[in-house]
Amino acid sequence: MSKQPNVNFQRSIDQGDRLVPVNLRQSGDPGIQMLISNRVRKSPYWHLSVEAGCWKATVYNRMYHPRAYVRPEDGGAMEEYRALVNDVTLWNVAVERPIRVKGPDAEAFCNHVCTRDVTRVPTMMGRYVVLCDEQGHVLNDPVMLRVADDEFWFTISDSDLAYWFKGINHGLRYDVTIDEIDVSPLQVQGPKSEDLIADLVGEGVREVPYYGLMAGSIEGAEVLISQTGFSGEKGYEVYAYDSTLHAETIWNAILDKGEKYGLKVIAPAHHRRIAAGILSYGQDLDHETNPFQCNLGHMVPKAKEADYIGRDALERTRELVNQGQPPFTHQLVGLKLGGRPIEDYAPDFWLVGHDAEGEPCGWITSPWYSPELGTNIAMAYVPVASAALGTVLVAWLPDEFLDIPGQPVDAVVCEMPFRASVNPSSRERAKAAGRDHAF
């Protein structure tokens, strides 16, 4: 086969463990303009993002999702990156669409659908969680917030969690209500985020721990603040109650207070979340991915007493993995890549192989350039037998990123995260404590 990217189905890559293979045809960016219509929802902040210069968007949870503000001629995504790691940034992430589970059985219901032990989560704290089907495949990986003893919010990734919750409870009959609510999150991320949020809601926010919550108000509008984010930097999320009514109030207050800190409105920082080893649903995992396959095996606890959806399948997978017989063909790994700096989103799952003369055997999900490491980094699925740290592979990138056109670049399997986060992840905390699982 030609080593140049092409639109042929990649028969050499074993996807026999999937019902619907990942589409690995290399079609590139066709330059098609997105249609803006009323079939897809606009969040309460959509017009404010447009005013702030949003020029590129995608669709996420059936909402328009801003993905670029700084124009390429002005530095593009890497200028947004510099603002994030040096100052403070504001993100429109209303597409996270909080789903509320409320009622006398809320804790029991959430404990049944989450792999982690929800009973260990105090009120006004949160957790990163995964929710699996009966086969142990990940249906969503949201941030769960416990805002009251009987009330939980799930700020969801890109899949329909509310419909699944309602379907599950139709048979189980837990005493809960399940609804999407008019609460639209914003993220304030970067090293100056704490000072900015303190200016907005008071000094008490400095005492909020990682994944902790605090109730407050901004210009008279009720908000919930969490110390969470999608960046690996210090950061917060601002959940505006009745956001359809208060969107302008919240947004403009953050802009006004942020001016002295050099605040910049940017898109969700995929370049930084890749470095932090944070996964993007639909890109790095989907509804046919097992947690042990995508670096989330630690999210399957060993000490949880209550039963939960997918438990039997996940425990069986753990046994097979420990026996060296995983029930999947490919494993998610970190890669350091050669080639010229990748400074924008990849339009395809670029291909990975054992060597320049052979056939592709895997695919890259999330590539970007790391200024701190001085190299391209990526997440990728490679054959399980090739997932060991230090394994040398090759990657076929578009010609614009190749040192020699038509010749793949070196790709070396390395540990994730690629660089330290301000707040270590649950995976890092478990590892530091000598555990291979979170609680």
Side-chain angles (χ1 to χ4, degrees):
M1 62 170 283
S2 169
K3 299 305 184 294
Q4 291 292 328
N6 59 70
V7 296
N8 294 328
F9 178 68
Q10 298 298 326
R11 299 182 183 279
S12 63
I13 299 175
D14 181 8
Q15 294 195 60
D17 57 342
R18 295 182 61 95
L19 291 174
V20 181
V22 177
N23 187 351
L24 299 177
R25 295 175 176 86
Q26 304 295 288
S27 56
D29 180 1
I32 293 173
Q33 182 175 350
M34 173 180 282
L35 171 66
I36 304 295
S37 76
N38 57 12
R39 263 195 89 254
V40 176
R41 292 166 56 188
K42 297 175 181 175
S43 80
Y45 307 124
W46 171 252
H47 64 294
L48 298 166
S49 286
V50 173
E51 290 175 8
C54 172
W55 63 274
K56 182 188 291 186
T58 188
V59 174
Y60 191 104
N61 276 325
R62 298 194 303 280
M63 273 188 179
Y64 292 114
H65 186 23
R67 293 295 286 267
Y69 290 86
V70 179
R71 295 276 180 174
E73 59 268 25
D74 297 320
M78 295 312 292
E79 180 60 31
E80 296 186 11
Y81 181 91
R82 282 185 281 274
L84 169 65
V85 299
N86 293 311
D87 297 307
V88 63
T89 58
L90 173 63
W91 310 2
N92 173 358
V93 290
V95 296
E96 291 176 350
R97 287 177 49 194
I99 305 302
R100 180 181 64 194
V101 178
K102 181 175 175 58
D105 294 340
E107 181 184 81
F109 175 86
C110 294
N111 206 34
H112 186 65
V113 297
C114 294
T115 62
R116 296 183 73 174
D117 190 347
V118 169
T119 67
R120 298 172 65 101
V121 182
T123 299
M124 296 299 282
M125 287 293 294
R127 292 287 189 275
Y128 172 63
V129 298
V130 298
L131 302 101
C132 296
D133 63 15
E134 292 82 352
Q135 288 75 45
H137 297 139
V138 181
L139 297 181
N140 208 282
D141 65 329
V143 170
M144 182 195 73
L145 307 179
R146 187 168 194 169
V147 302
D149 285 349
D150 65 346
E151 183 174 350
F152 295 77
W153 295 358
F154 292 82
T155 54
I156 63 175
S157 55
D158 194 11
S159 74
D160 281 315
L161 196 61
Y163 294 161
W164 187 65
F165 277 0
K166 289 175 182 286
I168 290 295
N169 202 43
H170 180 73
L172 297 177
R173 302 295 184 182
Y174 284 97
D175 187 2
V176 294
T177 58
I178 300 165
D179 301 287
E180 179 183 343
I181 54 178
D182 187 19
V183 173
S184 297
L186 297 166
Q187 290 199 23
V188 177
Q189 300 285 309
K192 299 177 183 177
S193 60
E194 182 177 309
D195 291 337
L196 171 53
I197 296 295
D199 273 358
L200 286 163
V201 300
E203 291 296 309
V205 77
R206 299 188 190 276
E207 304 304 316
V208 174
Y210 188 43
Y211 273 92
L213 311 178
M214 171 183 163
S217 65
I218 296 176
E219 299 295 326
E222 187 179 359
V223 297
L224 185 71
I225 307 294
S226 68
Q227 199 203 142
T228 52
F230 192 62
S231 71
E233 298 292 329
K234 184 65 175 287
Y236 298 83
E237 292 185 85
V238 179
Y239 295 84
Y241 289 82
D242 298 318
S243 56
T244 302
L245 295 176
H246 299 304
E248 290 86 355
T249 298
I250 302 296
W251 181 278
N252 291 330
I254 295 173
L255 289 186
D256 290 344
K257 292 289 188 182
E259 188 172 352
K260 68 179 179 181
Y261 299 107
L263 176 77
K264 185 181 290 290
V265 181
I266 72 166
H270 284 260
H271 24 38
R272 183 63 182 93
R273 69 94 183 162
I274 294 168
I278 299 172
L279 308 186
S280 177
Y281 195 87
Q283 187 167 340
D284 304 307
L285 72 163
D286 65 12
H287 68 285
E288 292 203 48
T289 310
N290 187 287
F292 292 96
Q293 184 180 10
C294 62
N295 215 17
L296 291 179
H298 69 286
M299 299 296 283
V300 183
K302 293 182 176 179
K304 182 174 177 177
E305 294 182 2
D307 195 15
Y308 59 87
I309 297 174
R311 180 172 191 156
D312 290 345
L314 291 169
E315 290 298 339
R316 176 59 178 158
T317 299
R318 192 202 307 272
E319 291 177 9
L320 291 171
V321 169
N322 290 340
Q323 294 169 9
Q325 299 175 333
F328 42 81
T329 63
H330 286 69
Q331 180 82 43
L332 187 73
V333 299
L335 292 179
K336 290 184 179 179
L337 305 173
R340 299 171 184 170
I342 300 166
E343 297 184 343
D344 206 345
Y345 302 98
D348 291 311
F349 294 102
W350 296 333
L351 305 178
V352 175
H354 293 295
D355 54 60
E357 288 70 40
E359 299 284 341
C361 63
W363 63 95
I364 290 171
T365 62
S366 295
W368 217 291
Y369 177 73
S370 170
E372 292 81 6
L373 299 178
T375 188
N376 291 320
I377 59 176
M379 299 184 195
Y381 281 98
V382 303
V384 172
S386 301
L389 296 179
T391 300
V392 178
L393 303 164
V394 297
W396 286 280
L397 308 182
D399 280 351
E400 62 188 291
F401 303 118
L402 297 178
D403 296 318
I404 302 174
Q407 294 297 310
V409 300
D410 287 339
V412 180
V413 176
C414 61
E415 192 167 9
M416 290 192 289
F418 295 92
R419 53 171 296 214
S421 299
V422 172
N423 293 307
S425 69
S426 57
R427 181 192 310 111
E428 295 168 84
R429 291 168 186 259
K431 183 177 180 180
R435 292 181 277 108
D436 63 358
H437 62 280
F439 292 107

